[in-house]
């Protein structure tokens, strides 16, 4: 279990809920306007600390380690429920904390969790902010703006396409720079626009290395497939929750009421992108995965374009939506370009 050092002004505690024990970071008055932060994959609540401290003092910031991350309980993940294990955890947590309504912000996979929660509890969400979120159609294995599944079994998505060396080094607690697949180098190269060397790099690396690794956690299990690239999602673990056979968040278009929706992304994001360095279709196109069947069969997933299409329909059906693109930033614009990010987000909170 990791014990990550926190910035001055951040308090931490464990909270027991009906769904498990979760580690909580907080800042601000107990009666402040609540903001709940949901972190992404292979990270923890500590990624939010600078942004929590920057919030105006009238807000109460609440960030938590999701199951299997940070100091929260190492609960298994049923991927066949999509992201619902995580969104149900969030529901139990906010109920335990007696948060009736609140602002909700999620990053990457956490953006998907925030969308899933909002689909199920739209009346609880004052505003929804998603930062470089997973596509509403999941991660990998789809094509076109409507998220058409390429293969029936979702081949090319889920745990089986995670970099095995990265998984091994993560499990071993590797802090080195000896391989491009070391967690530190992945942080520097992909979590932000390279070279992304954050002043709190050691704490961010601690957060990454706190991830529970295995078939029930990160990345999950996999199954052989007759379709390229020869591997399909299993039924357990984190990466499989975002496979298109289990994950579809496009139902957010139809919810009532519709919270104001802000989408912030880095212009140079290499993780969630229409040309993602983690998408098997794009890697195949680059010749990095053998046997690629071609763009007509397995094109790169247009992740950003899919997200925009869904959010535009959200607006057409009565929601308020804004897309903000932060230049010279990658997958973590709130850490890379804090001034630009905070200006956009705080203005949105004020308007809403």
């Amino acid at each position: 279990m990791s014990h990550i050092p926190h910035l001055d002004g951040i308090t931490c505690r464990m909270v027991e809920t009906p769904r498990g024990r979760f580690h909580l970071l907080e800042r601000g008055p107990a009666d402040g306007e609540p903001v709940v932060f949901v972190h992404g994959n292979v990270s923890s609540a500590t990624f939010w600390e600078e942004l929590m401290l920057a919030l105006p003092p009238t807000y109460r910031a609440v960030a938590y380690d999701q199951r299997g991350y940070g100091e929260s309980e190492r609960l298994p993940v049923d991927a066949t429920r999509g992201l619902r294990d995580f969104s149900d955890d969030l529901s139990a947590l906010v109920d335990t904390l007696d948060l009736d309504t609140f602002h909700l912000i999620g990053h990457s996979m956490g953006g998907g969790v925030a969308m899933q929660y909002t689909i199920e509890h739209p009346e609880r969400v004052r505003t929804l902010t998603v930062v470089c979120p997973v596509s509403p159609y999941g991660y990998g294995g789809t094509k076109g703006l409507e998220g058409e599944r390429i293969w029936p079994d979702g081949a090319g998505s889920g745990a089986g396409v995670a970099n095995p060396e990265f998984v091994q080094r993560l499990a071993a607690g590797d802090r080195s720079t000896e391989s491009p697949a070391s967690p530190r180098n992945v942080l520097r190269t992909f979590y932000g626009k390279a070279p992304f060397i954050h002043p709190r790099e050691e704490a961010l690396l601690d957060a990454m290395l706190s991830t529970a690794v295995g078939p029930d956690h990160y990345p999950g299990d996999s199954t052989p497939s007759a379709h390229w690239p020869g591997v399909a999602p299993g039924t357990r673990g984190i990466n499989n929750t975002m496979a298109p056979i289990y994950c579809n968040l496009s139902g957010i278009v139809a919810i009532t009421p519709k919270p104001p929706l802000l989408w912030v992304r880095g212009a140079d994001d290499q993780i969630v992108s229409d040309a993602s360095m983690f998408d098997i279709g794009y890697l195949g196109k680059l010749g990095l995965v053998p046997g690629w069947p071609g763009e007509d069969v397995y094109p790169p997933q247009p992740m950003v374009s899919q997200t925009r299409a869904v959010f535009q329909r959200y607006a057409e059906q009565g929601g308020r939506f804004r897309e903000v693109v932060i230049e010279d930033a990658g997958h973590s614009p709130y850490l890379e370009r804090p001034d630009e990010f905070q200006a956009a987000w705080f203005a949105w909170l004020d308007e809403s």
Side-chain angles (χ1 to χ4, degrees):
M1 192 71 71
S2 170
H3 294 284
I4 301 167
H6 302 300
L7 292 172
D8 289 344
I10 300 289
T11 61
C12 62
R13 60 184 169 120
M14 298 298 293
V15 177
E16 196 76 41
T17 80
R19 289 184 56 81
R21 194 170 60 256
F22 294 92
H23 181 243
L24 198 67
L25 303 185
E26 294 174 290
R27 174 263 171 190
D31 61 350
E33 195 169 338
V35 183
V36 178
F37 295 76
V38 189
H39 68 79
N41 202 356
V42 193
S43 60
S44 81
T46 201
F47 271 69
W48 292 118
E49 290 189 37
E50 285 84 359
L51 186 55
M52 294 170 71
L53 290 170
L55 268 173
T58 53
Y59 288 95
R60 175 188 177 187
V62 174
Y64 67 105
D65 296 338
Q66 299 199 74
R67 62 168 61 200
Y69 299 95
E71 296 178 43
S72 287
E73 195 170 351
R74 267 43 187 153
L75 300 165
V77 177
D78 178 358
T80 67
R81 304 186 69 232
L83 289 164
R84 289 178 181 85
D85 268 1
F86 296 107
S87 65
D88 287 352
D89 291 346
L90 171 57
S91 183
L93 179 67
V94 295
D95 285 350
T96 300
L97 296 174
D98 292 323
L99 302 181
D100 182 31
T101 63
F102 50 91
H103 302 280
L104 183 58
I105 178 170
H107 175 225
S108 194
M109 180 268 279
V113 174
M115 284 190 270
Q116 183 68 59
Y117 178 87
T118 303
I119 289 169
E120 294 166 358
H121 307 279
E123 73 288 348
R124 304 283 293 274
V125 180
R126 299 188 192 186
T127 64
L128 173 62
T129 301
V130 289
V131 186
C132 305
V134 61
S135 162
Y137 300 109
Y139 200 91
T142 68
K143 61 184 178 180
L145 296 185
E146 300 299 319
E148 178 188 350
R149 200 185 308 167
I150 295 172
W151 303 124
D153 62 357
S157 66
V161 294
N163 183 321
E165 184 185 349
F166 174 73
V167 175
Q168 183 273 323
R169 288 178 178 273
L170 189 70
D174 177 25
R175 305 184 75 92
S176 76
T177 57
E178 66 184 20
S179 165
S182 75
R184 188 185 299 273
N185 280 335
V186 169
L187 174 66
R188 291 179 174 183
T189 306
F190 295 107
Y191 278 48
K193 182 180 179 180
F196 171 56
I197 302 179
H198 192 266
R200 276 202 311 137
E201 181 175 273
E202 297 308 317
L204 299 184
L205 185 59
D206 286 340
M208 294 176 70
L209 296 176
S210 75
T211 303
V213 177
D216 282 317
H217 305 290
Y218 178 86
D221 63 346
S222 62
T223 186
S225 173
H227 304 293
W228 185 87
V231 65
T235 61
R236 300 182 291 158
I238 292 153
N239 288 22
N240 293 323
T241 66
M242 295 174 280
I245 57 173
Y246 306 128
C247 180
N248 187 333
L249 304 167
S250 63
I252 197 167
V253 168
I255 63 173
T256 303
K258 287 182 167 62
L261 170 58
L262 177 66
W263 173 29
V264 186
R265 61 184 183 87
D268 302 307
D269 191 348
Q270 294 189 82
I271 294 178
V272 174
S273 167
D274 288 358
S276 167
M277 292 302 294
F278 291 74
D279 172 45
I280 205 76
Y282 187 62
L283 294 176
K285 182 177 180 178
L286 294 179
L288 299 175
V289 180
W292 182 57
E295 193 138 11
D296 55 331
V297 175
Y298 208 118
Q301 181 187 2
M303 301 178 186
V304 169
S305 299
Q306 288 174 345
T307 301
R308 184 179 297 113
V310 168
F311 288 174
Q312 285 175 343
R313 291 205 305 273
Y314 185 88
E316 289 163 6
Q317 296 193 25
R320 188 156 69 88
F321 154 61
R322 180 179 299 162
E323 177 183 356
V324 173
V325 182
I326 296 184
E327 298 299 325
D328 202 32
H331 192 58
S332 305
Y334 59 96
L335 287 172
E336 301 170 80
R337 296 286 176 264
D339 291 346
E340 295 95 318
F341 183 90
Q342 290 167 25
W345 187 41
F346 295 169
W348 185 253
L349 293 178
D350 285 343
E351 291 172 27
S352 304

